[in-house]
Amino acid sequence: MTYREALSAGIEAALNADPRTFLMGEDVGRYGGCYAVSKGLLDKYGETRIIDTPLCESGFVGVGIGAALGGMRPIVEIMTVNFSLLAMDQIVNTAATLRHMSGGQFNVPVVFRMACGAGKQLAAQHSHSWENLYAHIPGLKVISPGTHTDARFMLAQALADPDPVIIFEHVMLLNESGEVAGQAEAPMEKALVRRQGQDVSLIAYGGNLHKAQAAAGQLAAEGISAEVVDLRCLRPLDKATLLASVAKTHRAVIIDEGWHSGSLAGEISAIIMEEGFWYLDAPVKRVCSAEVPIPYPAHLEQAAIPQVETIVAMAKAVMEGR
Amino acid sequence: MSKIIDVTMPSLGADMTEGTLVEWQAKPGDTLNKGDIIALLETQKGMIDMEVYQQGVITELLLEPVVSVPVGTVMARMSVAGEAARPAAPEASYPVAQAAAIKSPPVTSDQSQQTVIPQPNRPRQGLLASPVVRKLAAEQQLDLSRLSGSGPEGAILLRDLPANGPEANAAGSPDPAQAMRSAIAAAMAKSKREIPHYYLSLEIDITRAQRWLADFNAERGPEERILLLALLLKAVARSLHKYPALNGYYQQQTFTPNSAIHIGNVISLREGGLVVPAIHDVDQLSVEEIMVRLRDMSERSRRGVLRSSELLDASITVSNMGERGSDLLFGVIYPPQVAIIGIGKPRKTMLIKDDQPELAEVVTVSLAADHRVSDGMTGARFLNALANKLQKPEKL
């Protein structure tokens, strides 16, 4: 099953499970979703549950929030995270704040799905990783399925949550094939150790998880035992799991497709400094994107974002204490 | 006419090879008189105010605190009045070694003194260490200055620690017995290196104590019987109240007595090695309660489930070899504690009482204590107090 099919199966299961659930967004119906995730769902579920919206992110995101307040369980798809900035006011000022501002009287059980990440030569305006903007906001939960099983089951977990949840789906994963387990592996807020290791913790999520795993494989061939931690949830961060890993390996490399400065990786590094400092045997390192808008040319695009070789080189440097 | 002289790291004793500049107490341009304080130094003897031996004006401070440098290293320069500057005829109050250090820098005698100037910006050699190394060093009382680091700028990393060498890493998990041996080695070496022990022993008549125990145990099952050790621990705890100089911690050149009496008990493990878990507030417990704790502790020690507080906060240690031990044992103080009591095996002997020989049971109790904190007289008084307490076992 591809990652795309896993996402689609998750949406279908959600539509079947609860009549209050519907999917809305640009091109999700007739076109089948710009990444073909919702292809065929319109025929199956009809126009009241698979709703094409105008090109107006702020408008239909607001509608989704209103529907959630009105008792529905909307799944709102925003083509890419880049366009979500147009709806940032709705997400940050409305969805994230209402529960707090109503003294707990109103929850906003809406789920936003958005594609993110670079690698498809879609140039800067379609390739950025803005996850950290949302991970910064109290009131939101931010998750990032890096495996096929998470792609299949995290949507149901997000819908079950009474608060707004944003799901980031990395575009480079869509065509990847993989196994899907029979059920969710863990609650969505829990980070998982995807590979056990002794020497260095590679902390990654979403689209970079498989790069971290590939790097761990190469490092193993060179006698370095890397542990791969899949964050899965970017807000709240599962500090306990990542600190336990660092306490075991004493070294950490964080992989994040966001830009180096102000990145989520920077936040994780700060957490390790604050709460895991005494376990460290080397400085914490980050593998992030170059500080440029993601370029269009394939070679420049690849040069700008984290790569397996960069992760391997960084892990080796960390092993030397550098 | 004035001339520039060097102010060097003084030697404050025969064993002093280096000192640490902690803080300058004067700045360039200051005029100092003989005997004024120019800097705060840390040495093996503690914090020392460093005086100048000349009147003059400071022209340069060459080192950035905090930094450790060998004796004789030029630390600062002063401008002093012409002829008075000659250090050739030091006054009687000069420490002799200071004068010697000025005349002959210890490291490179072929170079002129002016060239022995350490680079102020250089990181403290051997003192860069990763956080986990610092944590382990504190826990295992390792002296990092004795290790050489393989990390950037000589930083000491995990792989540079004795128990974490390449072999240990390659093996996957370090051998726990070896790790324990290393920890014991580090603590005992530090103790022998740093603590000036004095040793005393006293033969204590325990005839009454043994008789009292026999009566106490007579109608009790094996599970409820009390061993001599429980009684001895109680007597030690009760005696310590008057001798706080034996119960506490010596750290950073300062002794802090402990108001609570937490006695560490040396327990030998079957697979080798020792653990020293503490029984807390022994003076507050009945002899029966002490016995319960002892049983529980030796059982948990062997299963390896001791609590960290038990391993960390003993303020004095008792080492008891029991029936199969030797007549007398002198312990090595477990830093930062300041005393250890050794208990030999109980034995029958003839004592002279009222000029008459009498068969008695005795035990030889030793005390090793830290001479920086107490003197032999204190220790001897304590041992005699302990002996007296044991003559009235029913009161313990």
Side-chain angles (χ1 to χ4, degrees):
Chain A
M1 186 184 284
T2 62
Y3 187 87
R4 172 186 287 110
E5 288 162 349
L7 290 173
S8 181
I11 295 170
E12 226 176 306
L15 292 167
N16 293 337
D18 188 341
R20 295 175 300 169
T21 301
F22 65 93
L23 173 71
M24 68 194 289
E26 293 157 0
D27 285 344
V28 298
R30 281 166 191 83
Y31 189 69
C34 73
Y35 292 103
V37 170
S38 52
K39 201 161 192 160
L41 296 183
L42 178 63
D43 293 341
K44 214 164 165 183
Y45 294 93
E47 288 186 348
T48 56
R49 303 194 68 196
I50 308 294
I51 303 169
D52 274 328
T53 65
L55 282 175
C56 178
E57 279 79 7
S58 186
F60 69 78
V61 165
V63 169
I65 293 167
L69 285 168
M72 302 295 279
R73 290 291 180 273
I75 305 167
V76 180
E77 178 177 315
I78 300 171
M79 274 190 189
T80 92
V81 64
N82 305 274
F83 308 159
S84 78
L85 302 190
L86 292 160
M88 195 120 181
D89 172 55
Q90 289 292 356
I91 299 172
V92 169
N93 282 327
T94 305
T97 57
L98 274 184
R99 176 170 155 198
H100 177 81
M101 298 209 315
S102 69
Q105 294 180 84
F106 300 114
N107 288 88
V108 187
V110 63
V111 173
F112 302 111
R113 294 175 44 239
M114 5 183 144
C116 65
K120 281 199 173 301
Q121 279 200 272
L122 296 171
Q125 291 173 334
H126 302 78
S127 305
H128 285 154
S129 293
W130 295 112
E131 295 94 288
N132 193 30
L133 293 188
Y134 295 102
H136 180 61
I137 310 295
L140 298 179
K141 290 195 176 101
V142 180
I143 58 180
S144 175
T147 66
H148 288 66
T149 300
D150 280 347
R152 166 66 184 80
F153 292 106
M154 272 187 159
L155 177 65
Q157 294 176 324
L159 283 165
D161 196 283
D163 295 313
V165 178
I166 303 180
I167 306 180
F168 284 105
E169 300 160 4
H170 199 286
V171 293
M172 291 308 288
L173 296 176
L174 291 165
N175 290 331
E176 299 285 322
S177 287
E179 296 289 315
V180 172
Q183 58 181 21
E185 289 175 274
M188 68 178 189
E189 289 167 21
K190 182 151 178 30
L192 291 176
V193 174
R194 297 292 186 186
R195 178 188 177 117
Q196 296 282 340
Q198 299 296 325
D199 296 333
V200 56
S201 297
L202 304 180
I203 298 166
Y205 67 90
N208 287 296
L209 175 61
H210 70 283
K211 289 184 182 173
Q213 283 174 311
Q218 287 188 21
L219 288 164
E222 300 186 45
I224 296 170
S225 161
E227 177 150 306
V228 178
V229 179
D230 177 6
L231 290 175
R232 297 175 83 241
C233 186
L234 312 183
R235 185 183 187 96
L237 282 166
D238 178 1
K239 290 188 196 179
T241 300
L242 65 96
L243 288 168
S245 179
V246 173
K248 180 167 99 172
T249 63
H250 310 295
R251 299 170 191 94
V253 175
I254 307 155
I255 302 109
D256 175 4
E257 212 172 293
W259 289 299
H260 196 272
S261 19
S263 58
L264 185 69
E267 171 63 21
I268 293 166
S269 173
I271 290 170
I272 295 171
M273 285 299 160
E274 285 176 340
E275 299 181 38
F277 180 78
W278 294 107
Y279 295 107
L280 290 174
D281 198 35
V284 174
K285 290 288 177 185
R286 295 180 269 172
V287 178
C288 294
S289 285
E291 310 266 327
V292 292
I294 299 293
Y296 171 77
H299 65 294
L300 292 180
E301 181 177 41
Q302 290 303 318
I305 61 177
Q307 298 296 347
V308 177
E309 306 80 73
T310 340
I311 303 170
V312 168
M314 197 65 93
K316 283 193 202 163
V318 164
M319 286 307 295
E320 289 164 27
R322 282 194 274 134
Chain B
M1 168 184 167
S2 68
K3 63 174 286 186
I4 303 290
I5 62 155
D6 296 331
V7 178
T8 60
M9 173 62 71
S11 172
L12 300 158
D15 56 342
M16 179 168 163
T17 55
E18 66 169 33
T20 303
L21 169 67
V22 176
E23 194 182 311
W24 286 115
Q25 307 261 4
K27 58 185 186 303
D30 284 2
T31 302
L32 296 182
N33 290 312
K34 191 179 138 205
D36 283 353
I37 308 300
I38 182 169
L40 180 62
L41 303 183
E42 186 178 351
T43 72
Q44 295 101 319
K45 296 184 173 60
M47 291 294 197
I48 309 262
D49 284 331
M50 176 181 170
E51 297 164 62
V52 292
Y53 302 102
Q54 310 270 354
Q55 181 181 3
V57 178
I58 299 175
T59 55
E60 264 183 295
L61 297 178
L62 298 168
L63 301 181
E64 289 261 3
V66 174
V67 62
S68 293
V69 293
V71 167
T73 301
V74 181
M75 301 169 67
R77 295 214 168 84
M78 273 175 84
S79 166
V80 300
E83 286 310 299
R86 297 207 62 81
E91 292 177 30
S93 61
Y94 276 39
V96 176
Q98 158 75 1
I102 289 174
K103 281 181 198 159
S104 57
V107 202
T108 48
S109 53
D110 57 322
Q111 291 177 311
S112 75
Q113 194 172 322
Q114 275 68 17
T115 62
V116 193
I117 300 169
Q119 303 305 304
N121 292 328
R122 230 165 110 207
R124 281 189 290 162
Q125 204 123 39
L127 288 174
L128 285 179
S130 73
V132 69
V133 163
R134 287 181 185 279
K135 179 164 178 271
L136 288 174
E139 284 167 8
Q140 299 173 8
Q141 309 197 312
L142 299 176
D143 182 358
L144 288 181
S145 65
R146 281 162 195 272
L147 297 173
S148 60
S150 63
E153 298 179 71
I156 302 168
L157 306 180
L158 265 187
R159 60 179 175 232
D160 302 319
L161 294 188
N164 284 287
E167 318 82 63
N169 275 343
S173 56
D175 174 12
Q178 186 53 48
M180 175 170 280
R181 203 70 261 159
S182 304
I184 293 172
M188 294 300 104
K190 178 186 168 71
S191 176
K192 282 287 192 176
R193 195 166 58 238
E194 294 181 5
I195 303 179
H197 290 62
Y198 68 84
Y199 302 96
L200 305 170
S201 76
L202 184 67
E203 193 175 73
I204 296 179
D205 182 354
I206 52 165
T207 314
R208 284 159 182 271
Q210 289 287 50
R211 204 175 293 145
W212 181 85
L213 273 179
D215 288 349
F216 186 93
N217 288 334
E219 61 255 37
R220 284 175 165 77
E223 289 302 304
E224 294 155 358
R225 284 181 199 154
I226 288 175
L227 298 175
L228 177 64
L229 178 60
L231 205 59
L232 290 170
L233 286 177
K234 184 65 189 281
V236 165
R238 294 278 305 277
S239 308
L240 275 175
H241 280 300
K242 282 191 177 166
Y243 303 94
L246 302 175
N247 181 60
Y249 309 106
Y250 189 89
Q251 283 164 315
Q252 273 116 38
Q253 284 84 43
T254 314
F255 174 67
T256 315
N258 199 8
S259 54
I261 295 177
H262 303 325
I263 303 184
N265 288 278
V266 180
I267 297 178
S268 299
L269 302 177
R270 286 198 188 96
E271 60 273 25
L274 307 164
V275 287
V276 191
I279 300 179
H280 293 150
D281 301 309
V282 179
D283 54 324
Q284 319 270 327
L285 302 176
S286 70
V287 177
E288 289 100 316
E289 285 168 330
I290 295 172
M291 194 63 227
V292 170
R293 302 280 174 96
L294 272 175
R295 281 209 177 88
D296 169 55
M297 207 159 255
S298 66
E299 199 262 331
R300 283 189 295 120
S301 296
R302 285 172 184 141
R303 282 194 290 132
V305 285
L306 291 167
R307 284 184 281 272
S308 58
S309 68
E310 293 171 339
L311 289 174
L312 289 176
D313 60 9
S315 46
I316 185 170
T317 296
V318 168
S319 186
N320 168 55
M321 281 196 173
E323 304 291 336
R324 281 166 297 182
S326 56
D327 287 349
L328 170 59
L329 84 95
F330 283 117
V332 179
I333 298 169
Y334 186 40
Q337 295 168 36
V338 295
I340 182 167
I341 294 164
I343 297 173
K345 75 177 173 193
R347 62 189 194 281
K348 290 212 163 70
T349 189
M350 296 301 285
L351 289 185
I352 309 297
K353 293 184 183 172
D354 302 327
D355 290 340
Q356 293 295 318
E358 190 181 313
L359 184 64
E361 199 163 354
V362 299
V363 66
T364 304
V365 176
S366 77
L367 173 74
D370 187 335
H371 225 321
R372 296 171 299 184
V373 178
S374 65
D375 297 320
M377 190 53 82
T378 307
R381 287 196 179 115
F382 164 75
L383 287 177
N384 281 292
L386 177 64
N388 286 337
K389 285 263 186 301
L390 285 166
Q391 302 320 306
K392 300 183 192 84
E394 66 284 353
K395 289 196 170 172
L396 285 171

